[in-house]
Amino acid sequence: MKRADGSVMKKKIIDLIEEALNVPKGTITEDTRIADVEEWDSLAHVMIIGELEEKLGISIPLEEAVELTGMQELLACAGIQTE
């Protein structure tokens, strides 16, 4: 993936997560910690991982997915560079 595509994909991931959690736009940023988002419980987490694979073709292995604590790690697993 080219660097320029990274910001587009990052936005798609954030949009997908906000939609899955049914939270207002701008709630999720690349610095968001999962524990800080009330709606982001274990069920929502599983749903988000599934949606990333189904809609964006981003596959995060289960053992990595359960260890995620925030967006920085999620984006890294998805192969997206964060600042």
Side-chain angles (χ1 to χ4, degrees), residues 1 3 5 14 20 23 25 27 29 34 38-39 45 50 55 62 65-66 68 70 72 74-75 80:
M1 180 182 291
R3 218 171 196 23
D5 296 341
I14 289 171
V23 295
K25 294 274 181 224
T27 300
T29 69
I34 292 171
E38 190 179 326
E39 295 83 355
H45 191 68
K55 295 187 175 174
L62 184 60
V66 298
L68 296 175
Q72 294 273 346
L74 190 150
L75 292 168
I80 310 250

Side-chain angles (χ1 to χ4, degrees), residues 49-64:
I49 300 303
E51 292 264 304
L52 287 171
E53 184 154 11
E54 186 182 315
K55 295 187 175 174
L56 300 177
I58 296 168
S59 180
I60 299 176
L62 184 60
E63 54 278 3
E64 287 180 39

